[in-house]
Structure formats: C-alpha cells, structure tokens
Amino acid sequence: MPESLLLPHINDQLQQLFHQGGAFLTSYHNEKLNTMTIGWGSLGYIWSLPIFTAAVRSSRYSYQLLEASLEFTITIPQNDSFREALHLCGTKSGRDLDKIKAANLTTQPSQKIATPIIAGAAWQYECRVVYRQAMEASLILLPALKERLYNPQQDSLHTIYYGEILAAYETK
C-alpha cells in the first residue's frame, strides 16, 4: 500500500468525524461543485482495498453529483475552526446556495481525482466509488433505528458509497 495511505492517527480522525461536528464530503461534476456535512462514515478494508464508506440520501444534491462522477473527497477537520461551516453545509442545500462560498471555505486540487478538497488543517481522503448500494427499508433490522432516522413520508433512504481511498494525507 502506498505510504500516504498509512495514516498513524486514524482513531483521532474517526473521533473528530463522529464527535466534533462531522466532516465534509465534496463532490464535483461538469463544473458543478458541492460539499455537504456527514456525521457517518467508516474506514476499513474491503476486497483488499482501503475504503471510506459514506452514506448519502438520494434526495441530496450531492447524490446527483456523486452518481455522475463516481468520486468524492472527505475532509475531516482537525480542530473546531470549521464548526460553523460544517453547520451551514449540513443545513443548506447546494441546489439553492453555493455552500463553499457561503461558508467561506477554500478548495484546492486533489492529488489523484478531479474533485477538490477543502483546504485547511484536516485529514483528506480522495475516493473513487467501487461499489454503491441503495438501502432498503425492509433490511433495517432495528425498528428503533428506523423510526429515529427515517420518516417514510419525508425522507429518502441513503445510498452507501464504498470509495476506494486513492490518496490519504494531512493538510495544514
């Protein structure tokens, strides 16, 4: 595995993702760029590949871009300086607003894919989708989980994206 994928602080990154306000999932296609806040995700190995798994609802603007490009970047902030931007990007739609501009975020080119990363002190993952699966409500086995996270009248279910991590690095 390329050395850039051997990040020594994966536990710190996951703690930051799940307990410090989330991370940015950025997607890009045909000059259209969007970022959204995610609070769910996982890092691991599937099919002998380093994988970042992310869930995106089919009703989201990012879903359209992901489906078209089949790539995404994940930016996990290392500190609280992104807290307001994470809130904005988690509560507004990219269909109605340029969230990157509104949140005062800056992008920079990725190393391996066309989708840029969010600049700043963060851990970065550049991912190419190798598998995706739309969730089925009947397969959610915990009724309390289904009731808490999905309102059948309002919410679309998530599609789970398995992104092969092509590059992983820290930015300052």
Side-chain angles (χ1 to χ4, degrees), residues 18-91:
F18 296 119
H19 301 296
Q20 301 298 322
F24 297 103
L25 181 149
T26 304
S27 50
Y28 173 79
H29 181 70
N30 280 347
E31 306 301 319
K32 294 180 182 176
L33 176 65
N34 190 54
T35 195
M36 65 180 282
T37 300
I38 60 168
W40 305 349
S42 64
L43 288 163
Y45 281 87
I46 301 175
W47 310 296
S48 300
L49 300 172
I51 298 285
F52 191 100
T53 306
V56 178
R57 290 182 193 266
S58 60
S59 60
R60 302 295 187 243
Y61 181 56
S62 292
Y63 173 84
Q64 293 174 347
L65 298 177
L66 266 168
E67 285 294 304
S69 69
L70 296 177
E71 65 178 39
F72 60 92
T73 61
I74 299 292
T75 300
I76 303 174
Q78 292 180 353
N79 56 51
D80 287 340
S81 66
F82 288 97
R83 188 170 294 280
E84 288 181 29
L86 285 164
H87 177 74
L88 183 140
C89 293
T91 58

Side-chain angles (χ1 to χ4, degrees), residues 2-160:
E3 188 169 326
S4 66
L5 298 183
L6 299 175
L7 293 177
H9 305 291
I10 288 176
N11 189 48
D12 294 341
Q13 295 167 45
L14 292 177
Q15 289 293 324
Q16 193 77 7
L17 171 63
F18 296 119
H19 301 296
Q20 301 298 322
F24 297 103
L25 181 149
T26 304
S27 50
Y28 173 79
H29 181 70
N30 280 347
E31 306 301 319
K32 294 180 182 176
L33 176 65
N34 190 54
T35 195
M36 65 180 282
T37 300
I38 60 168
W40 305 349
S42 64
L43 288 163
Y45 281 87
I46 301 175
W47 310 296
S48 300
L49 300 172
I51 298 285
F52 191 100
T53 306
V56 178
R57 290 182 193 266
S58 60
S59 60
R60 302 295 187 243
Y61 181 56
S62 292
Y63 173 84
Q64 293 174 347
L65 298 177
L66 266 168
E67 285 294 304
S69 69
L70 296 177
E71 65 178 39
F72 60 92
T73 61
I74 299 292
T75 300
I76 303 174
Q78 292 180 353
N79 56 51
D80 287 340
S81 66
F82 288 97
R83 188 170 294 280
E84 288 181 29
L86 285 164
H87 177 74
L88 183 140
C89 293
T91 58
K92 304 292 181 192
S93 173
R95 286 185 190 96
D96 307 322
L97 175 73
D98 180 342
K99 292 191 284 185
I100 292 172
K101 182 178 180 181
N104 294 314
L105 295 170
T106 304
T107 61
Q108 65 186 58
S110 293
Q111 295 176 359
K112 303 274 185 180
I113 62 176
T115 302
I117 61 170
I118 302 296
W123 291 289
Q124 308 287 351
Y125 292 93
E126 299 179 20
C127 303
R128 171 182 59 200
V129 175
V130 294
Y131 182 78
R132 65 183 181 253
Q133 177 69 49
M135 291 179 63
E136 293 182 36
S138 65
L139 297 178
I140 301 173
L141 302 179
L142 298 175
L145 183 67
K146 189 193 275 185
E147 290 169 15
R148 183 169 55 95
L149 297 173
Y150 299 103
N151 177 338
Q153 284 76 39
Q154 296 176 354
D155 296 333
S156 60
L157 295 175
H158 290 90
T159 294
I160 310 300

